[in-house]
Amino acid sequence: MIGKGKSISHTKASISYGWNQEKNAEIIHSQHLAGENPKEITEEFKIIQSQNQRTQRNTLSFVLSPSIEDGKELSKQELKELTKKFIKAMNLEERQSIAFVHRDKEHIHIHLYVNRIGFDGKAYNDSFIGKRSQQRAYEVAREMGLTNARDIQYQRLDRITQIRNEIKEIHGKVMEAERPKSVEAYIKLMKEKDITVIPSINKQQKLQGFRFGYKGHSLKGSEVHRSMSGEKLVLQISNNSNKAIDPQKILTIKLAGKAVELSANIVIALAKSAMKKAIKRAIDQGMGI
C-alpha cells in the first residue's frame, strides 16, 4: 500500500472531490461530523479552524492506495478498518475527519481529510508529513497482511538482479565458446539464446551501445554489467578477430548489412586498444620474442 499526505487550504474543493459521485465515491469513515454534503462538512471544519487564524493550510489530505490485487479483495469494512488504523498511527484520532473510497478506476484508493486544527485550537505538526504518511501506511499494511509498495520494490529489484545475472552468464558463455568476430554474429548468437540485442543509436546517428531484451525486461549493457558497455563490448568482439586494427579505419561497423558509424567513446576505446597492441608487437619484435 502507498500512503501520501500533505496540508492544504482548499478544504471545500478537496472534500467535494472526495465526495464526487462520478467516481463512485462511498463514505467509509466519518468522525465528529454531522454534515451531509461537502459545504456542510467544510463549515464544520471552519468552526474549529476559526480558533487558529495563524494556520493557513488547516486541513490534512491523505491518499491511501492498496495494491490493485488487495483493492479487489478488501471489503468496505476492511477499508474502514484500514483507514482507522492509519488515523491512529498518525495520532489523529481526536479530530474531525472524513474518508471516501473511489472505485472509478481499477486501482481502488481512499481519500481521507482531517481537520489540522484540534478542538483545543492547536495545529497538528505537519513536518515531513509526506514521509510520515508513507511510513505509517507501510506499517498498517504490514499489520493487516497487505502488499506493500516497499515489498513490491524489493521484489522487482531481486528480479532485475536475477535477470542481469542471467544475461551476463549467457553473454560470457557466448563470448568464451563462440568467440564472435563481428557485432552481427554476436547479435545472432545471443538471439539463439533468447536474448535480443538492440543497438542504441544516439542523436548523431552513431552507435553508442546496446540494450538487452530478455524475459520482458530491457536493460542497457552497462546496467547488466560494466564490462558490457558499448565500447567494452565492441572491444571484446574486435579482440576475437586476428586482424590488426587500423586506428584510422575504425569509424564504422556493419549492422544488418549496413555500415553504422561508431560513437566517439567506442572509436577512442578501439584506437587505444590498437595502439597498445601495436606497441606490444614492436616491443616483442625488438626483443626477438
Side-chain angles (χ1 to χ4, degrees), residues 242-245 273-287 289:
N242 294 323
K243 296 179 181 179
I245 299 174
S273 176
M275 292 298 292
K276 286 179 181 178
K277 288 180 180 179
I279 292 171
K280 186 178 184 304
R281 281 197 301 272
I283 293 173
D284 290 346
Q285 290 170 3
M287 295 177 66
I289 294 175

Side-chain angles (χ1 to χ4, degrees), residues 28-267:
I28 58 170
H29 167 81
S30 180
Q31 182 170 272
H32 302 308
L33 295 168
E36 298 182 352
N37 56 58
K39 182 179 179 182
E40 292 176 358
I41 296 294
T42 303
E43 289 302 319
E44 290 183 52
F45 268 48
K46 284 183 176 179
I47 291 172
I48 305 302
Q49 291 168 349
S50 64
Q51 299 179 76
N52 188 323
Q53 299 293 331
R54 298 185 303 277
T55 305
Q56 298 301 312
R57 298 185 177 186
N58 46 25
T59 295
L60 303 173
S61 173
F62 302 95
V63 179
L64 304 176
S65 302
S67 69
I68 293 176
E69 292 74 18
D70 286 339
K72 290 176 180 177
E73 300 295 327
L74 288 169
S75 65
K76 179 180 178 180
Q77 184 58 37
E78 288 170 326
L79 290 169
K80 183 176 182 178
E81 180 186 356
L82 182 157
T83 303
K84 284 188 173 181
K85 285 181 179 295
F86 177 79
I87 290 172
K88 183 177 180 180
M90 293 293 290
N91 295 318
L92 291 167
E93 303 105 302
E94 298 304 318
R95 293 172 185 268
Q96 293 171 311
S97 58
I98 188 166
F100 310 87
V101 59
H102 282 186
R103 305 178 186 273
D104 59 316
K105 297 179 181 178
E106 183 182 23
H107 201 165
I108 291 172
H109 53 282
I110 298 166
H111 288 274
L112 167 65
Y113 304 100
V114 183
N115 198 335
R116 186 180 170 194
I117 309 304
F119 293 111
D120 58 0
K122 294 180 180 180
Y124 179 82
N125 184 355
D126 64 350
S127 300
F128 307 106
I129 191 167
K131 186 159 288 190
R132 285 193 284 133
S133 301
Q134 292 176 15
Q135 182 60 32
R136 299 298 174 263
Y138 173 77
E139 293 167 359
V140 169
R142 292 204 64 171
E143 181 183 344
M144 296 184 67
L146 303 178
T147 305
N148 265 298
R150 194 179 301 177
D151 296 333
I152 293 173
Q153 185 179 21
Y154 289 151
Q155 290 170 10
R156 287 175 179 170
L157 288 173
D158 288 343
R159 180 59 176 160
I160 290 294
T161 299
Q162 180 183 345
I163 291 295
R164 285 192 184 115
N165 291 337
E166 289 182 22
I167 293 174
K168 184 175 181 295
E169 182 179 356
I170 293 170
H171 161 79
K173 289 179 179 178
V174 165
M175 296 300 288
E176 183 178 351
E178 307 292 343
R179 295 185 62 80
K181 295 178 174 57
S182 71
V183 172
E184 285 184 313
Y186 172 76
I187 291 174
K188 182 179 179 181
L189 289 166
M190 292 293 279
K191 184 67 175 178
E192 292 173 359
K193 307 294 184 183
D194 298 322
I195 297 178
T196 302
V197 181
I198 306 165
S200 297
I201 309 299
N202 62 23
K203 293 180 180 179
Q204 289 73 40
Q205 297 303 303
K206 295 182 179 181
L207 177 72
Q208 67 176 13
F210 302 90
R211 295 195 72 87
F212 292 80
Y214 184 58
K215 294 184 177 180
H217 295 268
S218 179
L219 299 171
K220 291 193 300 184
S222 58
E223 290 175 333
V224 177
H225 193 265
R226 60 180 179 273
S227 66
M228 294 172 67
S229 63
E231 58 265 30
K232 291 183 179 179
L233 181 52
V234 172
L235 185 57
Q236 288 177 65
I237 294 171
S238 70
N239 286 337
N240 290 336
S241 174
N242 294 323
K243 296 179 181 179
I245 299 174
D246 184 347
Q248 303 301 318
K249 298 180 180 179
I250 52 176
L251 301 178
T252 64
I253 62 169
K254 279 190 177 182
L255 284 176
K258 296 181 180 179
V260 177
E261 288 190 48
L262 302 175
S263 67
N265 287 344
I266 296 178
V267 171

